[in-house]
Amino acid sequence: MTFERREAFLVLNAGSSTLKFALYQASDLACLCRATIEGLGAAEPARVSASGELAQAFVSGGAPSSGDHEAALAWTLDALKRSLPDIDIVAAGHRIVHGGQSFAAPARLTPDVLAVLANFSPMAPGHQPHNLAGVHALAKLMPGLPQVGSFDTAFHRTQPRLAQLIPLKRELIDEGLVRYGFHGLSYAYVASVLPRLTERAKGRVVVAHLGSGASLCAMRDLRSQATTMGFTSVDGLMMGTRSGAIDPGLVLHLIEHRGMSVKAVSALLNKESGLLGVSGISNDLRALEYADSPEAEEAMALFAYRTAREIGSMMAAIGGLDVLVFTAGIGEHSAHMRARICDYLAFAGVKLDAAANEAHAPRISAEGAGAEVLVTPTDEEIMIARGVRDVLGG
């Protein structure tokens, strides 16, 4: 039996216990499939979910063992070979969280580039090592396959120098201790579609990427001018389990007067704070919205307050507000949280159409409001696929 061959890009986003992947037709970047393997490293078998034209290939053949990224990738490639013999993987793209000051655009992942990226792992310990593990695993399984990295920090390299500076000693600044910002692939996607959604796309725009990780980006002319995350992805907004911005003196207090180790403080700020820490119930906003608990209510109220307050800071960086965009899990799906945040922003001309908000309409601002409010799904994977195409020349 012969098959008409189809060339495809494999897009990977490797997390600590997950491997998200997607297949894009190389000729036109049509998405063929998206899938997630969850539970890597657990005692029980991993779980697989998939959607798209070719999803059946990954949900009909059982699940991979709960191994590491290499085991998950081996299972994925075996499923491709077994169920989709007409698909040729010709290149791979990876989400790499931290590109430092070295990378302002997608790059071919050569050994020299990977060595530089490994140096950024201490600045994104919950992401960078896992991102790079996916690169190394695929190189072992498919030697010679071209691999391209797209960086969450790259979109923010257009910011003015003052927006990137941290007021530390000059020598530390010169060593790269500056604000980098993250969620750049999401913001780049929103910037790419915004001109189709509003005539004010090149004006004063604030994008709220609200999910388990959360941040804001202020744009003018569709370019990043300021963002809430800084040197690391712990800074800025309150998140699912991350604290967001806190008094640095509090960290010193926890170490000096509470006897907490650096490791314990890191766990507190990254995994035990945010919605989970304040509510004591869950890091999932959906669970808090259904909980009959004053602690859950306080956690949601604080999330809305902190987000609205930081939107004010983004407005200061760009001189006002023409468009507010909600995206990512909470931003796209929680009408309740969008309304709570926007209640604080009446001073900026924000007024919601309640029915449109409840329906998760693409435009949820009231007729005649001073600022447009949009709800826009993000798509980080297509930005990675475009990066592969751009670097490798089609």
Side-chain angles (χ1 to χ4, degrees), residues 344-369:
Y344 284 101
L345 302 174
F347 76 94
V350 172
K351 183 179 180 182
L352 294 190
D353 179 321
N357 184 44
E358 287 296 327
H360 307 292
R363 178 175 280 98
I364 62 173
S365 45
E367 189 71 28

PDB file of all heavy atoms in Angstrom, residues 344-369:
ATOM      1  N   TYR A 344     -13.542  47.783  38.489  1.00  0.00           N
ATOM      2  CA  TYR A 344     -12.559  48.736  39.007  1.00  0.00           C
ATOM      3  C   TYR A 344     -12.145  49.771  37.965  1.00  0.00           C
ATOM      4  O   TYR A 344     -11.516  50.771  38.307  1.00  0.00           O
ATOM      5  CB  TYR A 344     -11.294  48.000  39.453  1.00  0.00           C
ATOM      6  CG  TYR A 344     -11.396  47.263  40.764  1.00  0.00           C
ATOM      7  CD1 TYR A 344     -11.579  45.882  40.796  1.00  0.00           C
ATOM      8  CD2 TYR A 344     -11.279  47.935  41.974  1.00  0.00           C
ATOM      9  CE1 TYR A 344     -11.647  45.194  41.993  1.00  0.00           C
ATOM     10  CE2 TYR A 344     -11.343  47.253  43.182  1.00  0.00           C
ATOM     11  CZ  TYR A 344     -11.539  45.886  43.189  1.00  0.00           C
ATOM     12  OH  TYR A 344     -11.603  45.213  44.388  1.00  0.00           O
ATOM     13  N   LEU A 345     -12.446  49.516  36.684  1.00  0.00           N
ATOM     14  CA  LEU A 345     -11.850  50.296  35.600  1.00  0.00           C
ATOM     15  C   LEU A 345     -12.816  51.268  34.943  1.00  0.00           C
ATOM     16  O   LEU A 345     -12.541  51.759  33.845  1.00  0.00           O
ATOM     17  CB  LEU A 345     -11.267  49.343  34.549  1.00  0.00           C
ATOM     18  CG  LEU A 345     -10.210  48.364  35.075  1.00  0.00           C
ATOM     19  CD1 LEU A 345      -9.823  47.369  33.982  1.00  0.00           C
ATOM     20  CD2 LEU A 345      -8.981  49.116  35.586  1.00  0.00           C
ATOM     21  N   ALA A 346     -13.915  51.573  35.616  1.00  0.00           N
ATOM     22  CA  ALA A 346     -14.862  52.541  35.051  1.00  0.00           C
ATOM     23  C   ALA A 346     -14.188  53.887  34.799  1.00  0.00           C
ATOM     24  O   ALA A 346     -14.512  54.585  33.833  1.00  0.00           O
ATOM     25  CB  ALA A 346     -16.055  52.709  35.991  1.00  0.00           C
ATOM     26  N   PHE A 347     -13.240  54.252  35.645  1.00  0.00           N
ATOM     27  CA  PHE A 347     -12.530  55.529  35.486  1.00  0.00           C
ATOM     28  C   PHE A 347     -11.789  55.606  34.158  1.00  0.00           C
ATOM     29  O   PHE A 347     -11.499  56.698  33.647  1.00  0.00           O
ATOM     30  CB  PHE A 347     -11.530  55.734  36.633  1.00  0.00           C
ATOM     31  CG  PHE A 347     -10.282  54.909  36.507  1.00  0.00           C
ATOM     32  CD1 PHE A 347      -9.148  55.420  35.903  1.00  0.00           C
ATOM     33  CD2 PHE A 347     -10.240  53.604  36.988  1.00  0.00           C
ATOM     34  CE1 PHE A 347      -7.997  54.662  35.775  1.00  0.00           C
ATOM     35  CE2 PHE A 347      -9.096  52.836  36.868  1.00  0.00           C
ATOM     36  CZ  PHE A 347      -7.969  53.369  36.268  1.00  0.00           C
ATOM     37  N   ALA A 348     -11.477  54.440  33.570  1.00  0.00           N
ATOM     38  CA  ALA A 348     -10.718  54.378  32.318  1.00  0.00           C
ATOM     39  C   ALA A 348     -11.626  54.207  31.105  1.00  0.00           C
ATOM     40  O   ALA A 348     -11.139  53.927  30.006  1.00  0.00           O
ATOM     41  CB  ALA A 348      -9.720  53.228  32.375  1.00  0.00           C
ATOM     42  N   GLY A 349     -12.925  54.375  31.303  1.00  0.00           N
ATOM     43  CA  GLY A 349     -13.860  54.233  30.195  1.00  0.00           C
ATOM     44  C   GLY A 349     -14.292  52.814  29.929  1.00  0.00           C
ATOM     45  O   GLY A 349     -14.886  52.514  28.888  1.00  0.00           O
ATOM     46  N   VAL A 350     -14.031  51.899  30.872  1.00  0.00           N
ATOM     47  CA  VAL A 350     -14.415  50.500  30.713  1.00  0.00           C
ATOM     48  C   VAL A 350     -15.835  50.298  31.231  1.00  0.00           C
ATOM     49  O   VAL A 350     -16.138  50.631  32.378  1.00  0.00           O
ATOM     50  CB  VAL A 350     -13.441  49.571  31.461  1.00  0.00           C
ATOM     51  CG1 VAL A 350     -13.948  48.133  31.457  1.00  0.00           C
ATOM     52  CG2 VAL A 350     -12.053  49.648  30.832  1.00  0.00           C
ATOM     53  N   LYS A 351     -16.692  49.774  30.387  1.00  0.00           N
ATOM     54  CA  LYS A 351     -18.065  49.437  30.762  1.00  0.00           C
ATOM     55  C   LYS A 351     -18.470  48.208  29.971  1.00  0.00           C
ATOM     56  O   LYS A 351     -18.363  48.193  28.748  1.00  0.00           O
ATOM     57  CB  LYS A 351     -19.021  50.592  30.474  1.00  0.00           C
ATOM     58  CG  LYS A 351     -20.453  50.312  30.920  1.00  0.00           C
ATOM     59  CD  LYS A 351     -21.360  51.500  30.631  1.00  0.00           C
ATOM     60  CE  LYS A 351     -22.793  51.210  31.091  1.00  0.00           C
ATOM     61  NZ  LYS A 351     -23.705  52.346  30.766  1.00  0.00           N
ATOM     62  N   LEU A 352     -18.934  47.176  30.665  1.00  0.00           N
ATOM     63  CA  LEU A 352     -19.255  45.918  30.004  1.00  0.00           C
ATOM     64  C   LEU A 352     -20.712  45.852  29.584  1.00  0.00           C
ATOM     65  O   LEU A 352     -21.593  46.411  30.240  1.00  0.00           O
ATOM     66  CB  LEU A 352     -18.946  44.735  30.925  1.00  0.00           C
ATOM     67  CG  LEU A 352     -17.487  44.475  31.294  1.00  0.00           C
ATOM     68  CD1 LEU A 352     -17.367  43.133  32.000  1.00  0.00           C
ATOM     69  CD2 LEU A 352     -16.578  44.517  30.077  1.00  0.00           C
ATOM     70  N   ASP A 353     -20.953  45.118  28.512  1.00  0.00           N
ATOM     71  CA  ASP A 353     -22.283  44.651  28.141  1.00  0.00           C
ATOM     72  C   ASP A 353     -22.454  43.320  28.868  1.00  0.00           C
ATOM     73  O   ASP A 353     -21.818  42.319  28.518  1.00  0.00           O
ATOM     74  CB  ASP A 353     -22.356  44.473  26.630  1.00  0.00           C
ATOM     75  CG  ASP A 353     -23.702  43.956  26.147  1.00  0.00           C
ATOM     76  OD1 ASP A 353     -24.280  43.087  26.823  1.00  0.00           O
ATOM     77  OD2 ASP A 353     -24.163  44.406  25.086  1.00  0.00           O
ATOM     78  N   ALA A 354     -23.304  43.299  29.893  1.00  0.00           N
ATOM     79  CA  ALA A 354     -23.398  42.127  30.765  1.00  0.00           C
ATOM     80  C   ALA A 354     -23.773  40.864  29.990  1.00  0.00           C
ATOM     81  O   ALA A 354     -23.211  39.779  30.230  1.00  0.00           O
ATOM     82  CB  ALA A 354     -24.408  42.385  31.878  1.00  0.00           C
ATOM     83  N   ALA A 355     -24.705  40.991  29.045  1.00  0.00           N
ATOM     84  CA  ALA A 355     -25.133  39.814  28.281  1.00  0.00           C
ATOM     85  C   ALA A 355     -24.000  39.300  27.400  1.00  0.00           C
ATOM     86  O   ALA A 355     -23.776  38.084  27.297  1.00  0.00           O
ATOM     87  CB  ALA A 355     -26.357  40.160  27.439  1.00  0.00           C
ATOM     88  N   ALA A 356     -23.286  40.202  26.755  1.00  0.00           N
ATOM     89  CA  ALA A 356     -22.163  39.791  25.912  1.00  0.00           C
ATOM     90  C   ALA A 356     -21.071  39.135  26.746  1.00  0.00           C
ATOM     91  O   ALA A 356     -20.456  38.141  26.327  1.00  0.00           O
ATOM     92  CB  ALA A 356     -21.600  40.993  25.156  1.00  0.00           C
ATOM     93  N   ASN A 357     -20.834  39.666  27.935  1.00  0.00           N
ATOM     94  CA  ASN A 357     -19.825  39.084  28.815  1.00  0.00           C
ATOM     95  C   ASN A 357     -20.218  37.673  29.228  1.00  0.00           C
ATOM     96  O   ASN A 357     -19.396  36.751  29.182  1.00  0.00           O
ATOM     97  CB  ASN A 357     -19.624  39.967  30.045  1.00  0.00           C
ATOM     98  CG  ASN A 357     -18.509  39.455  30.945  1.00  0.00           C
ATOM     99  OD1 ASN A 357     -17.444  39.065  30.474  1.00  0.00           O
ATOM    100  ND2 ASN A 357     -18.769  39.448  32.248  1.00  0.00           N
ATOM    101  N   GLU A 358     -21.460  37.474  29.615  1.00  0.00           N
ATOM    102  CA  GLU A 358     -21.920  36.146  30.028  1.00  0.00           C
ATOM    103  C   GLU A 358     -21.844  35.150  28.875  1.00  0.00           C
ATOM    104  O   GLU A 358     -21.628  33.956  29.082  1.00  0.00           O
ATOM    105  CB  GLU A 358     -23.351  36.214  30.564  1.00  0.00           C
ATOM    106  CG  GLU A 358     -23.472  36.864  31.927  1.00  0.00           C
ATOM    107  CD  GLU A 358     -22.756  36.071  33.018  1.00  0.00           C
ATOM    108  OE1 GLU A 358     -22.717  34.824  32.926  1.00  0.00           O
ATOM    109  OE2 GLU A 358     -22.233  36.698  33.962  1.00  0.00           O
ATOM    110  N   ALA A 359     -22.020  35.649  27.654  1.00  0.00           N
ATOM    111  CA  ALA A 359     -21.969  34.778  26.476  1.00  0.00           C
ATOM    112  C   ALA A 359     -20.549  34.579  25.959  1.00  0.00           C
ATOM    113  O   ALA A 359     -20.353  33.878  24.960  1.00  0.00           O
ATOM    114  CB  ALA A 359     -22.838  35.364  25.371  1.00  0.00           C
ATOM    115  N   HIS A 360     -19.560  35.188  26.613  1.00  0.00           N
ATOM    116  CA  HIS A 360     -18.162  35.110  26.183  1.00  0.00           C
ATOM    117  C   HIS A 360     -18.012  35.575  24.733  1.00  0.00           C
ATOM    118  O   HIS A 360     -17.288  34.972  23.928  1.00  0.00           O
ATOM    119  CB  HIS A 360     -17.612  33.691  26.335  1.00  0.00           C
ATOM    120  CG  HIS A 360     -17.807  33.104  27.702  1.00  0.00           C
ATOM    121  ND1 HIS A 360     -17.157  33.575  28.815  1.00  0.00           N
ATOM    122  CD2 HIS A 360     -18.611  32.093  28.132  1.00  0.00           C
ATOM    123  CE1 HIS A 360     -17.529  32.865  29.877  1.00  0.00           C
ATOM    124  NE2 HIS A 360     -18.416  31.976  29.482  1.00  0.00           N
ATOM    125  N   ALA A 361     -18.711  36.652  24.398  1.00  0.00           N
ATOM    126  CA  ALA A 361     -18.661  37.195  23.046  1.00  0.00           C
ATOM    127  C   ALA A 361     -17.272  37.761  22.750  1.00  0.00           C
ATOM    128  O   ALA A 361     -16.535  38.135  23.672  1.00  0.00           O
ATOM    129  CB  ALA A 361     -19.722  38.275  22.882  1.00  0.00           C
ATOM    130  N   PRO A 362     -16.895  37.860  21.482  1.00  0.00           N
ATOM    131  CA  PRO A 362     -15.584  38.427  21.152  1.00  0.00           C
ATOM    132  C   PRO A 362     -15.410  39.869  21.619  1.00  0.00           C
ATOM    133  O   PRO A 362     -14.314  40.280  21.979  1.00  0.00           O
ATOM    134  CB  PRO A 362     -15.546  38.338  19.620  1.00  0.00           C
ATOM    135  CG  PRO A 362     -16.491  37.239  19.277  1.00  0.00           C
ATOM    136  CD  PRO A 362     -17.578  37.322  20.295  1.00  0.00           C
ATOM    137  N   ARG A 363     -16.501  40.655  21.609  1.00  0.00           N
ATOM    138  CA  ARG A 363     -16.465  42.026  22.127  1.00  0.00           C
ATOM    139  C   ARG A 363     -17.493  42.126  23.249  1.00  0.00           C
ATOM    140  O   ARG A 363     -18.659  41.858  23.051  1.00  0.00           O
ATOM    141  CB  ARG A 363     -16.770  43.050  21.031  1.00  0.00           C
ATOM    142  CG  ARG A 363     -16.788  44.490  21.537  1.00  0.00           C
ATOM    143  CD  ARG A 363     -16.966  45.507  20.414  1.00  0.00           C
ATOM    144  NE  ARG A 363     -15.704  45.757  19.718  1.00  0.00           N
ATOM    145  CZ  ARG A 363     -15.346  45.192  18.575  1.00  0.00           C
ATOM    146  NH1 ARG A 363     -16.151  44.335  17.973  1.00  0.00           N
ATOM    147  NH2 ARG A 363     -14.170  45.460  18.022  1.00  0.00           N
ATOM    148  N   ILE A 364     -17.041  42.491  24.452  1.00  0.00           N
ATOM    149  CA  ILE A 364     -17.946  42.498  25.606  1.00  0.00           C
ATOM    150  C   ILE A 364     -18.144  43.892  26.187  1.00  0.00           C
ATOM    151  O   ILE A 364     -18.810  44.044  27.203  1.00  0.00           O
ATOM    152  CB  ILE A 364     -17.441  41.531  26.704  1.00  0.00           C
ATOM    153  CG1 ILE A 364     -16.066  41.950  27.228  1.00  0.00           C
ATOM    154  CG2 ILE A 364     -17.429  40.102  26.192  1.00  0.00           C
ATOM    155  CD1 ILE A 364     -15.586  41.128  28.425  1.00  0.00           C
ATOM    156  N   SER A 365     -17.562  44.909  25.558  1.00  0.00           N
ATOM    157  CA  SER A 365     -17.761  46.279  26.044  1.00  0.00           C
ATOM    158  C   SER A 365     -19.118  46.789  25.599  1.00  0.00           C
ATOM    159  O   SER A 365     -19.659  46.393  24.558  1.00  0.00           O
ATOM    160  CB  SER A 365     -16.648  47.198  25.530  1.00  0.00           C
ATOM    161  OG  SER A 365     -16.396  46.977  24.161  1.00  0.00           O
ATOM    162  N   ALA A 366     -19.682  47.671  26.411  1.00  0.00           N
ATOM    163  CA  ALA A 366     -20.982  48.270  26.101  1.00  0.00           C
ATOM    164  C   ALA A 366     -20.849  49.252  24.946  1.00  0.00           C
ATOM    165  O   ALA A 366     -19.786  49.839  24.725  1.00  0.00           O
ATOM    166  CB  ALA A 366     -21.529  48.977  27.341  1.00  0.00           C
ATOM    167  N   GLU A 367     -21.937  49.423  24.212  1.00  0.00           N
ATOM    168  CA  GLU A 367     -21.958  50.374  23.115  1.00  0.00           C
ATOM    169  C   GLU A 367     -21.622  51.768  23.636  1.00  0.00           C
ATOM    170  O   GLU A 367     -22.175  52.233  24.631  1.00  0.00           O
ATOM    171  CB  GLU A 367     -23.342  50.381  22.465  1.00  0.00           C
ATOM    172  CG  GLU A 367     -23.429  51.160  21.175  1.00  0.00           C
ATOM    173  CD  GLU A 367     -22.704  50.483  20.026  1.00  0.00           C
ATOM    174  OE1 GLU A 367     -22.601  49.240  20.038  1.00  0.00           O
ATOM    175  OE2 GLU A 367     -22.233  51.214  19.125  1.00  0.00           O
ATOM    176  N   GLY A 368     -20.694  52.437  22.982  1.00  0.00           N
ATOM    177  CA  GLY A 368     -20.331  53.794  23.374  1.00  0.00           C
ATOM    178  C   GLY A 368     -19.334  53.891  24.501  1.00  0.00           C
ATOM    179  O   GLY A 368     -18.978  55.005  24.912  1.00  0.00           O
ATOM    180  N   ALA A 369     -18.848  52.762  25.016  1.00  0.00           N
ATOM    181  CA  ALA A 369     -17.865  52.800  26.102  1.00  0.00           C
ATOM    182  C   ALA A 369     -16.566  53.416  25.594  1.00  0.00           C
ATOM    183  O   ALA A 369     -16.207  53.299  24.423  1.00  0.00           O
ATOM    184  CB  ALA A 369     -17.602  51.391  26.626  1.00  0.00           C
TER     185      ALA A 369
END
